[in-house]
Amino acid sequence: MPDPITRKPTIIDVASLAGVSIKTVSRVINNERHVSVDMRTRVRQAVTELGFEANESARGMRSLAPEKSYVVAHLYGDAGGLYTHDIQLGLMERCRYFGYHLVVEELDYQSPDVERRAKDLVKRLKLDGAVLTAPLTDNEIVLSVLDEAGVPYVRVSPVTEVPHLPSVRIDEKRAAYQMTQHLLTYGHKRIAFIRGLPNHAATIYRFEGYAQALKEAGLEVDLGLVEDGEFRYFATIPCARRLLERDEPPTAIFACNDEMAVAVIKVAHEMGLTLPDDCSIVGFDDIPTSEMLWPSLTTVRQPVPRLGAMAGDLLFTRLSPLGTSEWPTPVPHQVLPHDIVLRGSTAPLRQP
Amino acid sequence: MPDPITRKPTIIDVASLAGVSIKTVSRVINNERHVSVDMRTRVRQAVTELGFEANESARGMRSLAPEKSYVVAHLYGDAGGLYTHDIQLGLMERCRYFGYHLVVEELDYQSPDVERRAKDLVKRLKLDGAVLTAPLTDNEIVLSVLDEAGVPYVRVSPVTEVPHLPSVRIDEKRAAYQMTQHLLTYGHKRIAFIRGLPNHAATIYRFEGYAQALKEAGLEVDLGLVEDGEFRYFATIPCARRLLERDEPPTAIFACNDEMAVAVIKVAHEMGLTLPDDCSIVGFDDIPTSEMLWPSLTTVRQPVPRLGAMAGDLLFTRLSPLGTSEWPTPVPHQVLPHDIVLRGSTAPLRQP
DNA sequence: CTGAAAGCGCTTACAG
DNA sequence: CTGAAAGCGCTTACAG
């Protein structure tokens, strides 16, 4: 017989110390009803005295209700960027509040690896839930892995809204429409647009808003003024150069995220242009850098950490003990407000 | 008897289908030796035919060797910042390579909460390992929780090196020394220094390098030229203003991270100073913004993602099947190389 | 190389 | 309100 001091105490040790059956111990540690106060006290005391901790494996073997893992995942598809980090910041804050832990997983949506990795994640960690950001929000493989495993998830800014899948986003199209109107109001007519990666709501709807504003102003989208910057600084440098070196350069440039707008400002500086007089430049997101620049950047403020926090709130409300393990009806589709932040990088069109 | 189609298949189902004992099935699925090829094939076939998956709870109940979780954590103490994100970027890449998942946890080291949260994390997720960044690297509570749970960890840029605890860092002091020398070579003598948060190696050793370079040049540290910017942009704005509005303003400012240097540049612009002629400004880290600025920032390039990746490599090498569950001897203390990146924000001292 | 039996630490289902 | 017994799906230790 092993030394009782070295062995981890079991429910049997607790029962014999408290002088009750193991079933009673089980009832107490699981907070079941129908236990007398006396029993409860004696068991509680024995538990603390022995430092007893229930063996989760043994529990998991018999329990019908699978034990909650208290782990949720943020699944994202694009390596870097402040966007990802800010979503995590907001989500993390809610995780802490609700007592969950956050696992972050970058899934390469173009690789055959996705399915294996997603499945491994779900199985190994027994995920209680997930938050998806672009472009995984619309990735059929990832969604079906989660669906099959019964893992509830919230999509942040999906391309396609699906009625029964909760989502959180801003009104991308309207924001881009308003920003374009701001430029039009300043008298600009030759307004270039720099797109991000395809398959992102941020690219698709922002471009739509831009196009609609032009159209309503009686202007046409000039595809010669549309470039693809992949959301990234370095990819945007040549785009900005092409635009600004045209015979008739645009008088305003709308980059559909701030990182790309920063690249445009840099190129303009290098070319010796005076900002914002020679060219108005606007971005989208309001990353911290935008305010730090000179001139500081006119942009759309998207409450990114709040998007993450809101996604967490939806998830944790459903996962709470009171939750019905169903999404509420109607399924939530939150649209958070954005702001048009006017700063130093835009100015009225200079008269020729 | 339940419908065999709805029930998850067990080792018994596999055994009876394959016509062997459950023990043989156990041997095959655990890749033990001493099983004939014939048996092995029959069992394998039955496993795939039934879609059998071992029940981890049942396994965990008997197994002596605790099952690996394939989860490691990045524990950090300060909310935001690109540094944290870049560490994760590098670490994540190694996680993927070695087949691990990454949980990120922000622990408020000033709250009594830390211990409870750290313990919950270790227990719930059965962490296989952890990577710590400042200021948790030197937090006794967190370290002891990990030690007691037997979770191996790697510290990134700890304040105090401990021989038996692996670490990864750059030579902060030498880098700051070199950067200060760069300013001295340009003829600067009134060089201000902006510190970050206390308890960070980044604050302590960078200041030491600065002080040593001054001393060797026969100069003294003027505490009137030392400010505390908490590593953050907004906290640094008033510091920069105080410095630049002095009767005898510094001719150069060394901010001990880039975010603070960016704030200095912003304030200088707002005051109408010409950069770098009126004031040379340097930072530390080489965040992406530094290159995007105008003028772009002279700084120390710290390979942050590589620090994260290296921490991961140390951890995963120890966790690998071949690992001895001990750190190698001698315990690794990696010092990665840094670069002094000269850009547009520094210039020789203008002769009065 | 293979198998029959015991038992891990709990929860379930049933009886009182 | 309490308990005695069975059994979850595996691995361990032992026997052949």
Side-chain angles (χ1 to χ4, degrees):
Chain A
M1 189 168 149
D3 183 355
I5 297 179
T6 59
R7 222 186 59 228
K8 278 201 79 176
T10 74
I11 203 174
I12 299 177
D13 302 318
V14 177
S16 69
L17 179 61
V20 300
S21 73
I22 60 166
K23 177 61 221 178
T24 299
V25 177
S26 172
R27 284 198 180 91
V28 173
I29 61 180
N30 288 298
N31 286 315
E32 286 173 34
R33 274 166 304 183
H34 309 305
V35 184
S36 68
V37 183
D38 174 47
M39 288 271 172
R40 208 175 281 276
T41 335
R42 273 156 59 199
V43 171
R44 289 255 165 78
Q45 200 173 323
V47 164
T48 40
E49 190 172 329
L50 294 173
F52 168 79
E53 289 182 334
N55 178 320
E56 292 302 331
S57 287
R59 212 168 223 179
M61 244 185 79
R62 294 292 298 162
S63 272
L64 297 181
E67 183 77 356
K68 286 176 70 168
S69 67
Y70 288 94
V71 177
V72 298
H74 174 206
L75 306 179
Y76 58 98
D78 284 325
L82 273 158
Y83 180 85
T84 302
H85 186 240
D86 279 350
I87 289 285
Q88 279 174 26
L89 221 63
L91 182 54
M92 170 79 80
E93 191 266 318
R94 305 314 288 152
C95 283
R96 164 189 276 140
Y97 181 83
F98 285 97
Y100 282 75
H101 301 286
L102 177 65
V103 58
V104 297
E105 192 99 358
E106 186 190 340
L107 295 175
D108 180 2
Y109 56 101
Q110 293 169 326
S111 129
D113 207 36
V114 205
E115 183 165 3
R116 200 180 49 68
R117 294 244 312 154
K119 280 188 172 165
D120 188 69
L121 185 69
V122 166
K123 194 187 151 200
R124 277 253 160 70
L125 281 73
K126 306 181 206 327
L127 286 187
D128 282 347
V131 169
L132 309 189
T133 49
L136 295 181
T137 43
D138 298 86
N139 185 292
E140 288 182 20
I141 296 174
V142 174
L143 298 189
S144 70
V145 167
L146 294 174
D147 286 335
E148 279 169 28
V151 177
Y153 53 90
V154 176
R155 308 193 303 159
V156 179
S157 295
V159 174
T160 310
E161 285 285 13
V162 179
H164 65 279
L165 297 181
S167 68
V168 174
R169 59 185 181 86
I170 65 164
D171 190 338
E172 310 266 4
K173 182 173 174 181
R174 185 153 160 274
Y177 174 84
Q178 292 169 322
M179 182 57 93
T180 310
Q181 277 201 318
H182 163 63
L183 294 171
L184 290 166
T185 306
Y186 268 179
H188 295 283
K189 290 189 159 51
R190 219 161 43 250
I191 305 173
F193 191 89
I194 305 183
R195 293 186 292 210
L197 291 168
N199 305 324
H200 283 241
T203 292
I204 298 168
Y205 299 120
R206 291 171 195 178
F207 184 76
E208 280 186 7
Y210 157 81
Q212 188 188 331
L214 288 190
K215 190 177 165 194
E216 289 182 10
L219 298 170
E220 282 195 4
V221 172
D222 176 355
L223 287 179
L225 293 179
V226 176
E227 292 276 348
D228 291 307
E230 301 172 17
F231 290 132
R232 308 307 270 256
Y233 178 82
F234 285 108
T236 306
I237 296 288
C239 302
R241 212 161 268 150
R242 269 195 299 276
L243 288 172
L244 292 170
E245 286 175 350
R246 288 170 68 95
D247 293 337
E248 281 209 318
T251 65
I253 299 179
F254 186 171
C256 87
N257 82 351
D258 281 1
E259 189 169 331
M260 298 193 292
V262 171
V264 177
I265 290 184
K266 177 78 171 192
V267 169
H269 271 135
E270 284 173 355
M271 290 174 63
L273 300 184
T274 304
L275 298 181
D277 297 327
D278 290 336
C279 185
S280 283
I281 296 163
V282 305
F284 202 114
D285 283 346
D286 197 25
I287 61 174
T289 304
S290 303
E291 187 181 355
M292 304 176 186
L293 287 180
W294 192 259
S296 54
L297 187 68
T298 291
T299 188
V300 176
R301 177 176 300 137
Q302 185 180 197
V304 182
R306 282 190 56 211
L307 287 171
M310 177 64 78
D313 280 334
L314 294 182
L315 202 52
F316 296 131
T317 305
R318 160 151 179 194
L319 296 180
S320 82
L322 300 170
T324 55
S325 87
E326 293 289 336
W327 290 112
T329 328
V331 169
H333 292 278
Q334 297 281 352
V335 180
L336 296 185
H338 60 266
D339 294 307
I340 305 294
V341 184
L342 301 182
R343 288 198 280 239
S345 67
T346 46
L349 180 65
R350 223 180 14 184
Q351 297 310 322
Chain B
M1 191 168 149
D3 184 351
I5 297 177
T6 59
R7 220 186 61 229
K8 278 201 79 176
T10 74
I11 203 175
I12 300 177
D13 302 318
V14 177
S16 71
L17 179 61
V20 300
S21 73
I22 60 167
K23 177 60 219 178
T24 299
V25 176
S26 173
R27 284 199 181 93
V28 172
I29 62 179
N30 288 297
N31 286 316
E32 285 173 33
R33 275 166 303 180
H34 307 305
V35 184
S36 68
V37 183
D38 173 46
M39 289 272 173
R40 208 175 281 276
T41 335
R42 272 155 60 199
V43 170
R44 288 256 164 78
Q45 200 172 324
V47 164
T48 40
E49 191 172 329
L50 293 171
F52 167 79
E53 289 182 335
N55 178 321
E56 292 301 330
S57 288
R59 215 169 221 177
M61 246 184 79
R62 295 291 298 161
S63 271
L64 298 181
E67 183 79 355
K68 286 177 70 167
S69 67
Y70 289 94
V71 177
V72 297
H74 174 208
L75 305 179
Y76 59 97
D78 285 324
L82 272 158
Y83 181 84
T84 302
H85 187 241
D86 279 349
I87 289 285
Q88 278 174 28
L89 221 64
L91 182 53
M92 170 80 81
E93 190 266 318
R94 304 316 286 154
C95 283
R96 166 190 273 139
Y97 182 82
F98 285 97
Y100 283 74
H101 301 286
L102 178 64
V103 58
V104 297
E105 193 97 357
E106 185 189 340
L107 295 174
D108 180 2
Y109 57 101
Q110 293 170 325
S111 132
D113 207 37
V114 206
E115 183 166 2
R116 200 180 49 67
R117 295 244 310 154
K119 279 187 174 167
D120 188 70
L121 184 70
V122 165
K123 194 186 152 202
R124 276 252 161 71
L125 282 73
K126 307 182 205 326
L127 286 187
D128 282 348
V131 170
L132 310 189
T133 49
L136 296 181
T137 42
D138 298 86
N139 185 290
E140 289 182 20
I141 297 175
V142 174
L143 297 189
S144 71
V145 167
L146 294 174
D147 286 335
E148 279 168 27
V151 176
Y153 53 90
V154 176
R155 309 194 300 161
V156 179
S157 294
V159 174
T160 311
E161 285 285 13
V162 179
H164 64 280
L165 298 180
S167 68
V168 174
R169 58 185 182 87
I170 65 162
D171 190 337
E172 310 265 4
K173 182 172 173 182
R174 184 152 163 274
Y177 174 85
Q178 292 169 323
M179 182 57 93
T180 310
Q181 277 200 317
H182 163 61
L183 295 172
L184 290 166
T185 307
Y186 267 180
H188 295 284
K189 290 191 161 45
R190 220 160 41 252
I191 304 174
F193 191 89
I194 305 184
R195 291 186 295 211
L197 291 169
N199 305 324
H200 283 241
T203 292
I204 297 168
Y205 299 121
R206 290 172 196 179
F207 184 75
E208 281 186 6
Y210 158 81
Q212 187 188 331
L214 289 190
K215 191 178 163 195
E216 290 183 9
L219 299 170
E220 283 195 3
V221 172
D222 176 354
L223 286 179
L225 294 178
V226 176
E227 294 275 348
D228 290 307
E230 299 171 18
F231 290 132
R232 309 305 271 256
Y233 178 81
F234 286 108
T236 305
I237 296 288
C239 301
R241 214 162 268 151
R242 269 193 300 277
L243 289 173
L244 292 170
E245 286 174 352
R246 288 170 68 95
D247 293 336
E248 281 208 319
T251 64
I253 299 179
F254 186 171
C256 88
N257 81 352
D258 282 0
E259 189 168 332
M260 300 193 291
V262 171
V264 177
I265 290 184
K266 177 78 170 192
V267 169
H269 271 134
E270 284 174 355
M271 290 175 61
L273 300 185
T274 303
L275 297 181
D277 296 327
D278 291 334
C279 186
S280 282
I281 296 164
V282 304
F284 201 114
D285 282 349
D286 197 25
I287 62 175
T289 304
S290 303
E291 162 150 37
M292 304 176 185
L293 287 179
W294 191 260
S296 53
L297 187 67
T298 291
T299 189
V300 176
R301 177 176 301 136
Q302 185 180 196
V304 183
R306 281 190 56 211
L307 287 171
M310 178 64 76
D313 280 335
L314 294 183
L315 202 52
F316 297 132
T317 304
R318 159 149 179 196
L319 296 180
S320 81
L322 300 171
T324 55
S325 86
E326 293 289 335
W327 290 111
T329 325
V331 169
H333 293 277
Q334 297 280 352
V335 179
L336 296 185
H338 59 266
D339 293 307
I340 305 293
V341 183
L342 301 181
R343 288 198 279 238
S345 66
T346 46
L349 179 66
R350 223 179 14 182
Q351 297 311 323

